[in-house]
Amino acid sequence: MINRRIVSYALGRRTYATNARNVINELSSRGLIAQSTSTSLSQVCQNPLTVYCGIDPTASSLHIGNLLPLITLLHFQLHGHRPIALIGGATGFIGDPSGRATERKLLDVSELERNVELISAQVQQFFNVAGEYSEKRRIEAATSPAISPPEVVNNFDWFRNVTLLDFLRSSGKHAKVNTMLTRDSVSSRLNGSQGISFTEFTYQLLQAEDFHYLYKNYGCRLQIGGSDQWGNIISGIDLIRRRRQPLDIETTGDNQSLPSDGESPIPTPFEPESGEDAYGLTIPLLTTPSGEKFGKSAGNAVWLDRNLTSVFDFYQYFMRVPDSMVGSLMAMFTLLPSYRISDVLRRHQSDPSERRAQRTLAAEVTELVHGVDGVRHAEAATRALFDSRSASSDVDADDVVLALEGDPRLVRVTRQDAWGKPLTSLMKAYGNGVTSRAHVERTLKAGGFYLNNVQVTDPRQTLKPEDGRIAVLRMGSTNHLVLAMVGAEGL
């Protein structure tokens, strides 16, 4: 069985100068609000609020797509609210149909348990590192609110002993099937060729029960999520409202006060009256100019776990964003104030080839996730692999190795196996996608073979100790091999 996961940790009594600005205004100015269920949410957030975001453990790591909800939780935390990150140990058994055209593959119990444990620790680590990141960028103010430590909870803890009959009586009785059928996550599947299973059809009821449980037991009144979660969030708000009323007086119809998936905000009957109302807020789902889901690199997710996506590749993903997106991404993915973002963009425009805005964005997000050391490692590897102005002696070899840890381009070799060997032979022996030494020599003759960003013209050139503790061999513009020397004087 999955162990109870309620993790909280002290960030100390750090303060953040936020009194001058409401968190909803802050989020809106940064483009972090797609929809909200009430025009009064800004007013409600004038007082401390408990807010939660759910994360299903469908993989062993979070990815860039999970960052915006976590950053939104961070903003709430820094404005004096109480954040809860909910790990879906129970809902992960079911699978969320939102945003999917096909059924999810069910995870086995052991895999799900492992994912819950890893992601719980990763969320805790995010807030720990993000606390240090925000501490460096805050403006001290004596009247700033104390930061509440976040909690990480697992919904398996309250679902584990619920029987089907219990669930049907407590939650199912309040759910109207005709309303459930109108949710985008359901209707899109019903209109497609794959259809939807009863298992995934009931997912919105489980997420609704999550919101009700946190509302009742934690005083949580606000749920945030991606814009594809709008229907699930509305289901939770509806369940909270209905379970505050006796069943025998529910004669108001299936959909009173509830918007369809495309409506926002909720009409007047959902405006706060008793101070007990629940609210929802969704965050935009980002896409690249080509229409690809943001956070994918060549079709693969960009993970927060450095063992799945190296710190270097994480940094480089943000280095590659187009100019058309870099300004909005700086607002959404960092805590930089608007005047600083405007200044970076202005200086970027003076010489776009320097990619100053992308460098700022990459450094900020990498520090937010991987800390100051992660930025140093990634920048060192970037200079080593791409900057012809940097000699190998100017780059810390340890930083490069740490940035590329787990990356197939990094190969550790002994000095005896590398020094004195022809560069073309080394590229053939250790390079990715190199078919033969002749292949390397043809590239060399065409002017496309480099050692430490210096063109190699002699096919007999060998690797020497003075070439450094790391040697970066490159064929063409993208095929890199980083040889790290190990031994008495190596790494």
Side-chain angles (χ1 to χ4, degrees):
M1 304 298 288
I2 299 175
N3 293 327
R4 181 174 175 83
R5 300 286 175 197
I6 299 183
V7 185
S8 64
Y9 58 97
L11 290 176
R13 293 188 62 81
R14 295 173 178 164
T15 58
Y16 190 74
T18 59
N19 284 2
R21 192 164 204 176
N22 183 282
V23 65
I24 300 302
N25 297 335
E26 179 75 20
L27 295 174
S28 179
S29 71
R30 290 179 177 272
L32 284 171
I33 297 179
Q35 293 174 293
S36 68
T37 60
S38 173
T39 57
S40 302
L41 190 55
S42 179
Q43 179 182 349
V44 172
C45 289
Q46 294 289 357
N47 298 311
L49 204 65
T50 299
V51 53
Y52 99 92
C53 176
I55 304 167
D56 273 348
T58 54
S60 61
S61 171
L62 302 172
H63 52 78
I64 286 180
N66 301 119
L67 260 186
L68 284 187
L70 288 177
I71 289 171
T72 303
L73 269 188
L74 177 65
H75 279 289
F76 275 96
Q77 181 193 37
L78 296 176
H79 282 77
H81 302 281
R82 179 192 181 194
I84 297 175
L86 183 152
I87 311 301
T91 43
F93 273 110
I94 303 304
D96 185 359
S98 301
R100 291 182 61 90
T102 58
E103 197 87 1
R104 287 184 184 272
K105 176 180 175 289
L106 292 177
L107 302 176
D108 61 49
V109 174
S110 60
E111 183 180 6
L112 186 62
E113 288 178 339
R114 179 174 178 271
N115 290 352
V116 167
E117 184 174 359
L118 291 172
I119 289 179
S120 296
Q122 197 171 48
V123 170
Q124 179 181 354
Q125 174 69 7
F126 169 80
F127 278 99
N128 192 28
V129 176
E132 296 173 359
Y133 169 89
S134 60
E135 181 80 356
K136 286 179 58 179
R137 287 155 180 80
R138 82 195 190 290
I139 303 172
E140 292 285 6
T143 57
S144 295
I147 293 178
S148 298
E151 287 186 277
V152 181
V153 301
N154 179 1
N155 64 7
F156 192 77
D157 292 334
W158 53 85
F159 276 118
R160 72 168 79 213
N161 294 320
V162 176
T163 68
L164 177 60
L165 292 178
D166 291 336
F167 185 72
L168 291 176
R169 284 181 62 85
S170 63
S171 294
K173 185 66 176 175
H174 298 279
K176 305 302 180 182
V177 173
N178 54 332
T179 300
M180 295 174 67
L181 290 171
T182 66
R183 303 300 184 209
D184 280 348
S185 60
V186 174
S187 61
S188 62
R189 291 278 288 275
L190 291 176
N191 295 328
S193 60
Q194 294 290 322
I196 188 170
S197 68
F198 177 74
T199 298
E200 290 198 354
F201 177 66
T202 61
Y203 181 92
Q204 61 182 285
L205 299 183
L206 294 178
Q207 186 166 326
E209 182 61 36
D210 282 340
F211 199 178
H212 178 266
Y213 182 90
L214 294 177
Y215 173 86
K216 182 179 178 181
N217 293 279
Y218 287 78
C220 179
R221 295 173 57 204
L222 175 62
Q223 180 183 173
I224 65 173
S227 58
D228 60 346
Q229 295 298 307
W230 179 255
N232 293 336
I233 292 172
I234 295 303
S235 295
I237 295 173
D238 186 32
L239 180 62
I240 289 169
R241 177 177 65 84
R242 291 178 183 275
R243 288 181 69 169
R244 290 211 309 257
Q245 302 170 352
L247 283 173
D248 60 0
I249 65 169
E250 284 191 8
T251 59
T252 56
D254 295 337
N255 248 343
Q256 183 185 21
S257 304
L258 290 177
S260 68
D261 285 357
E263 295 178 18
S264 176
I266 284 179
T268 302
F270 250 91
E271 297 302 302
E273 295 175 358
S274 64
E276 296 178 338
D277 297 87
Y279 303 90
L281 182 151
T282 60
I283 303 153
L285 291 179
L286 299 181
T287 58
T288 64
S290 64
E292 187 179 44
K293 196 171 183 178
F294 187 79
K296 300 283 187 178
S297 180
N300 300 313
V302 180
W303 303 101
L304 306 194
D305 184 345
R306 66 178 64 208
N307 295 313
L308 298 177
T309 298
S310 69
V311 175
F312 170 76
D313 279 337
F314 184 90
Y315 177 93
Q316 284 297 318
Y317 181 80
F318 288 94
M319 279 292 294
R320 292 192 295 269
V321 301
D323 285 358
S324 60
M325 292 185 68
V326 70
S328 61
L329 295 182
M330 272 196 283
M332 300 174 85
F333 280 92
T334 80
L335 296 183
L336 293 176
S338 58
Y339 71 85
R340 173 76 191 284
I341 293 173
S342 297
D343 181 61
V344 170
L345 293 175
R346 178 182 55 78
R347 290 186 289 125
H348 173 86
Q349 290 300 321
S350 66
D351 187 359
S353 65
E354 288 290 321
R355 302 187 72 76
R356 185 176 280 109
Q358 283 84 354
R359 290 180 188 276
T360 300
L361 172 66
E364 290 288 319
V365 184
T366 302
E367 183 177 347
L368 178 65
V369 174
H370 295 295
V372 176
D373 288 344
V375 178
R376 189 182 73 249
H377 301 159
E379 289 178 343
T382 297
R383 291 196 303 273
L385 269 64
F386 299 120
D387 192 347
S388 60
R389 296 168 296 184
S390 293
S392 60
S393 58
D394 296 333
V395 178
D396 189 296
D398 294 321
D399 285 342
V400 176
V401 170
L402 288 169
L404 291 169
E405 200 66 62
D407 193 303
R409 290 167 294 191
L410 174 66
V411 178
R412 289 178 169 85
V413 294
T414 64
R415 292 174 298 158
Q416 293 80 1
D417 288 338
W419 289 348
K421 300 294 191 301
L423 301 178
T424 53
S425 297
L426 293 171
M427 192 70 189
K428 164 60 176 65
Y430 301 109
N432 290 317
V434 180
T435 56
S436 66
R437 184 173 174 180
H439 176 203
V440 182
E441 291 181 350
R442 286 195 299 271
T443 304
L444 183 151
K445 290 177 182 177
F449 189 50
Y450 298 82
L451 168 64
N452 295 334
N453 292 309
V454 177
Q455 188 178 31
V456 176
T457 58
D458 184 355
R460 296 167 298 177
Q461 182 175 334
T462 61
L463 190 65
K464 303 177 181 63
E466 53 265 33
D467 292 321
R469 290 194 300 155
I470 58 167
V472 180
L473 297 175
R474 173 163 59 90
M475 287 179 58
S477 59
T478 59
N479 191 347
H480 290 89
L481 168 65
V482 180
L483 296 175
M485 309 302 145
V486 297
E489 298 177 19
L491 298 173

